[in-house]
Amino acid sequence: MEATKDQRIWQVVLAIPKGKVASYGQVADMAGLGRQARYIGRALGKLPEGHKVPWYRVIRSNGQIAFPEGSSTFERQKCLLEQEGVVVVEGRVKMSQFRWQP
DNA sequence: CATTTGACTATTC
DNA sequence: TGAATAGCCAAAT
Protein backbone atom coordinates (compact mmCIF):
# COMPACT_ATOMS: atom_id res chain seq x y z
CA MET A 1 0.00 0.00 0.00
CA GLU A 2 1.92 2.94 -1.18
CA ALA A 3 -0.17 5.60 0.44
CA THR A 4 1.89 8.34 -1.15
CA LYS A 5 0.68 7.52 -4.62
CA ASP A 6 -2.84 7.05 -3.41
CA GLN A 7 -2.74 10.38 -1.70
CA ARG A 8 -1.44 12.07 -4.78
CA ILE A 9 -4.24 10.48 -6.75
CA TRP A 10 -6.81 11.70 -4.31
CA GLN A 11 -5.35 15.13 -4.48
CA VAL A 12 -5.61 15.19 -8.24
CA VAL A 13 -9.13 13.86 -8.23
CA LEU A 14 -10.10 16.46 -5.68
CA ALA A 15 -8.80 19.10 -8.05
CA ILE A 16 -11.34 18.26 -10.70
CA PRO A 17 -13.81 21.10 -10.98
CA LYS A 18 -17.47 20.44 -10.48
CA GLY A 19 -19.44 19.66 -13.59
CA LYS A 20 -16.42 18.21 -15.37
CA VAL A 21 -14.84 14.81 -15.59
CA ALA A 22 -11.35 13.49 -16.09
CA SER A 23 -10.03 10.25 -17.44
CA TYR A 24 -7.93 7.80 -15.52
CA GLY A 25 -5.04 8.48 -17.80
CA GLN A 26 -5.25 12.17 -17.11
CA VAL A 27 -5.31 11.63 -13.40
CA ALA A 28 -2.42 9.23 -13.63
CA ASP A 29 -0.40 11.70 -15.60
CA MET A 30 -1.10 14.49 -13.20
CA ALA A 31 -0.38 12.34 -10.20
CA GLY A 32 3.00 11.58 -11.68
CA LEU A 33 2.27 7.95 -12.32
CA GLY A 34 2.63 8.32 -16.05
CA ARG A 35 0.73 5.65 -17.91
CA GLN A 36 -0.35 3.55 -15.00
CA ALA A 37 -3.98 4.41 -15.37
CA ARG A 38 -4.99 1.09 -13.95
CA TYR A 39 -3.46 1.98 -10.67
CA ILE A 40 -5.91 4.84 -10.37
CA GLY A 41 -8.87 2.54 -10.42
CA ARG A 42 -7.12 0.25 -8.00
CA ALA A 43 -6.43 3.10 -5.62
CA LEU A 44 -9.94 4.46 -5.84
CA GLY A 45 -11.34 1.04 -5.15
CA LYS A 46 -9.31 0.84 -1.98
CA LEU A 47 -10.49 4.17 -0.69
CA PRO A 48 -12.03 4.19 2.76
CA GLU A 49 -15.64 5.13 3.13
CA GLY A 50 -15.21 8.54 4.66
CA HIS A 51 -13.12 9.90 1.81
CA LYS A 52 -14.07 13.14 0.09
CA VAL A 53 -12.67 12.06 -3.24
CA PRO A 54 -15.09 12.56 -6.12
CA TRP A 55 -14.07 9.30 -7.70
CA TYR A 56 -17.24 9.42 -9.75
CA ARG A 57 -15.77 12.26 -11.78
CA VAL A 58 -13.12 9.91 -13.05
CA ILE A 59 -14.08 7.96 -16.14
CA ARG A 60 -12.37 6.30 -19.10
CA SER A 61 -10.61 8.22 -21.76
CA ASN A 62 -13.52 7.85 -24.16
CA GLY A 63 -15.99 9.14 -21.64
CA GLN A 64 -17.35 5.73 -20.87
CA ILE A 65 -17.90 4.64 -17.32
CA ALA A 66 -15.72 1.86 -16.03
CA PHE A 67 -18.47 -0.35 -14.68
CA PRO A 68 -21.20 -2.40 -16.28
CA GLU A 69 -24.65 -0.93 -16.26
CA GLY A 70 -26.86 -1.91 -13.38
CA SER A 71 -24.02 -2.20 -10.93
CA SER A 72 -24.42 -0.27 -7.72
CA THR A 73 -21.21 1.56 -8.32
CA PHE A 74 -22.29 2.50 -11.79
CA GLU A 75 -25.62 3.77 -10.63
CA ARG A 76 -24.04 5.84 -7.91
CA GLN A 77 -21.56 7.32 -10.30
CA LYS A 78 -24.18 8.14 -12.86
CA CYS A 79 -26.42 9.73 -10.28
CA LEU A 80 -23.64 11.86 -8.88
CA LEU A 81 -22.51 12.94 -12.32
CA GLU A 82 -25.98 13.98 -13.29
CA GLN A 83 -26.20 15.84 -10.06
CA GLU A 84 -23.17 17.80 -11.12
CA GLY A 85 -24.70 18.56 -14.47
CA VAL A 86 -22.92 15.95 -16.53
CA VAL A 87 -25.11 14.05 -18.97
CA VAL A 88 -24.68 10.30 -18.94
CA VAL A 89 -26.29 8.12 -21.58
CA GLU A 90 -25.93 4.37 -21.99
CA GLY A 91 -23.08 4.37 -19.56
CA ARG A 92 -21.11 7.05 -21.30
CA VAL A 93 -20.62 10.75 -20.88
CA LYS A 94 -20.94 13.36 -23.57
CA MET A 95 -17.33 13.52 -24.43
CA SER A 96 -16.42 16.80 -26.04
CA GLN A 97 -18.35 18.88 -23.62
CA PHE A 98 -17.57 17.88 -20.10
CA ARG A 99 -14.04 16.62 -20.29
CA TRP A 100 -11.83 18.49 -17.96
CA GLN A 101 -9.30 20.39 -19.96
CA PRO A 102 -6.48 21.78 -17.84
C1' DC B 1 -17.34 12.13 -34.45
C1' DA B 2 -18.86 7.29 -32.63
C1' DT B 3 -18.15 2.42 -32.09
C1' DT B 4 -15.70 -2.14 -31.91
C1' DT B 5 -11.76 -5.22 -31.81
C1' DG B 6 -7.29 -6.54 -30.60
C1' DA B 7 -2.81 -6.26 -28.33
C1' DC B 8 -0.23 -4.11 -24.34
C1' DT B 9 1.40 -2.57 -19.67
C1' DA B 10 1.67 -1.98 -14.75
C1' DT B 11 0.16 -3.06 -10.09
C1' DT B 12 -1.77 -6.23 -6.69
C1' DC B 13 -3.08 -10.68 -4.20
C1' DT C 1 3.59 -18.19 -10.71
C1' DG C 2 -0.64 -17.30 -12.09
C1' DA C 3 -4.68 -14.67 -12.40
C1' DA C 4 -7.38 -10.44 -12.13
C1' DT C 5 -8.14 -5.57 -12.61
C1' DA C 6 -13.06 1.17 -11.88
C1' DG C 7 -7.41 1.33 -18.44
C1' DC C 8 -5.00 2.99 -22.79
C1' DC C 9 -3.76 2.97 -27.39
C1' DA C 10 -4.13 2.12 -32.39
C1' DA C 11 -6.51 0.49 -36.25
C1' DA C 12 -10.51 -0.58 -38.64
C1' DT C 13 -15.49 0.21 -39.40
Side-chain angles (χ1 to χ4, degrees):
Chain A
M1 306 237 319
E2 285 81 53
T4 48
K5 288 179 192 154
D6 290 10
Q7 266 204 15
R8 194 157 321 203
I9 290 163
W10 306 341
Q11 184 82 36
V12 173
V13 176
L14 283 162
I16 301 172
K18 179 180 157 196
K20 305 244 169 167
V21 293
S23 64
Y24 291 90
Q26 284 264 297
V27 175
D29 185 49
M30 285 185 216
L33 301 174
R35 305 267 186 221
Q36 312 174 264
R38 289 189 150 212
Y39 188 71
I40 306 299
R42 191 71 49 148
L44 293 176
K46 288 150 102 88
L47 282 168
E49 290 194 7
H51 62 58
K52 307 135 152 239
V53 183
W55 57 270
Y56 53 83
R57 284 184 197 153
V58 185
I59 54 176
R60 292 202 191 181
S61 58
N62 327 333
Q64 185 166 23
I65 292 177
F67 314 97
E69 261 185 68
S71 255
S72 307
T73 339
F74 175 86
E75 292 281 319
R76 221 173 329 190
Q77 180 167 19
K78 181 176 178 262
C79 188
L80 291 161
L81 286 172
E82 294 214 337
Q83 185 185 216
E84 303 266 321
V86 180
V87 181
V88 180
V89 179
E90 299 285 316
R92 43 189 111 112
V93 176
K94 300 296 200 174
M95 346 172 351
S96 314
Q97 295 184 324
F98 295 103
R99 288 218 279 193
W100 179 35
Q101 230 169 211

